[in-house]
Amino acid sequence: MISAMTSERVIGTGNGIPWRLPRDSRHFRSYTTGKPMLLGRRTYEEMLGWFTTQTPIILTRQEGYRAPAGAHVVHEVAGAVALAEALGAAELVVSGGAQIYAAALPLAEELILTLVDARVEGSARFPDFRADDSWICQRRERHEADRENAHAMEFQWWRRDR
Ligand SMILES: NC(=O)c1ccc[n+]([C@@H]2O[C@H](COP(=O)([O-])OP(=O)(O)OC[C@H]3O[C@@H](n4cnc5c(N)ncnc54)[C@H](OP(=O)(O)O)[C@@H]3O)[C@@H](O)[C@H]2O)c1
């Protein structure tokens, strides 16, 4: 899973991300390049036009939901995992939003988190993954705010020790 959140686990307003951090956007694009991404229908619709080499897999309960060419539709997280395998991918990158992170967390093995040093309001939150103490942080990389990025951030790489 890959996400950016504040220390209060805010990831979004419900229809957008409440910060603009080009450093994090590059990190996100670079990590997802060439990979299948699992996205909630709401996040997918927010991100229309963003995808280049990524293969979006959209999770929705709508039976008749039609995606454009190159995107896929599933109705369960397990269906997305099977589809990513069928596409020959080594990894499925769960990319939000809040409902999808919560649904996929029990199956996740790795978590790439950006901890954003900001206090913002938002209804969408990342699940409390640390309630389960099997997650271990393997690496952290801090970046201070600068002219391009209004907030400091820390990239973190977590892995589950099952
Ligand atoms: N900071 C970050 O890293 C980050 C990343 C991604 C998104 N976000 C933010 O997160 C917010 C959106 O999150 P959200 O929770 O409102 O929406 P979401 O998770 O993107 O999408 C929710 C939709 O996914 C479908 N869905 C959810 N659970 C399902 C299940 N178990 N089975 C089948 N379909 C399911 C439903 O679609 P239908 O209604 O079509 O049935 C539901 O309405 C936005 O503010 C966005 O900007 C932040």
Side-chain angles (χ1 to χ4, degrees):
M1 310 214 295
I2 187 164
S3 185
M5 68 173 194
T6 69
S7 61
E8 290 170 324
R9 291 189 277 106
V10 172
I11 63 164
T13 57
N15 53 17
I17 293 179
W19 51 74
R20 196 187 150 270
L21 296 170
R23 182 191 292 280
D24 186 54
S25 302
R26 288 193 295 272
H27 173 69
F28 179 65
R29 183 173 287 286
S30 156
Y31 189 76
T32 57
T33 295
K35 296 176 183 169
M37 297 172 70
L38 178 61
L39 300 145
R41 191 264 310 159
R42 290 165 73 170
T43 295
Y44 171 73
E45 290 181 356
E46 260 177 42
M47 291 178 68
L48 276 174
W50 178 89
F51 305 95
T52 51
T53 60
Q54 299 82 358
T55 303
I57 302 180
I58 308 150
L59 188 64
T60 175
R61 294 189 179 91
Q62 300 174 48
E63 287 300 329
Y65 191 81
R66 295 183 71 88
H72 301 264
V73 175
V74 294
H75 303 293
E76 287 175 11
V77 175
V81 174
L83 176 58
E85 278 172 357
L87 293 171
E91 181 184 359
L92 172 65
V93 188
V94 177
S95 307
Q99 292 181 32
I100 273 48
Y101 290 133
L105 182 61
L107 295 176
E109 291 171 3
E110 287 181 26
L111 176 54
I112 299 174
L113 262 190
T114 302
L115 197 60
V116 179
D117 212 344
R119 286 199 143 243
V120 291
E121 297 292 319
S123 55
R125 283 174 196 264
F126 197 79
D128 184 11
F129 74 103
R130 297 191 69 184
D132 165 357
D133 64 10
S134 63
W135 286 100
I136 294 169
C137 187
Q138 300 197 305
R139 188 154 75 92
R140 296 168 190 267
E141 189 182 291
R142 184 167 170 88
H143 298 277
E144 298 306 328
D146 57 23
R147 243 190 296 172
E148 195 189 30
N149 300 274
H151 308 291
M153 70 197 88
E154 185 173 280
F155 297 147
Q156 303 179 342
W157 289 263
W158 295 77
R159 181 169 264 285
R160 189 169 257 179
D161 183 22
R162 298 223 190 232

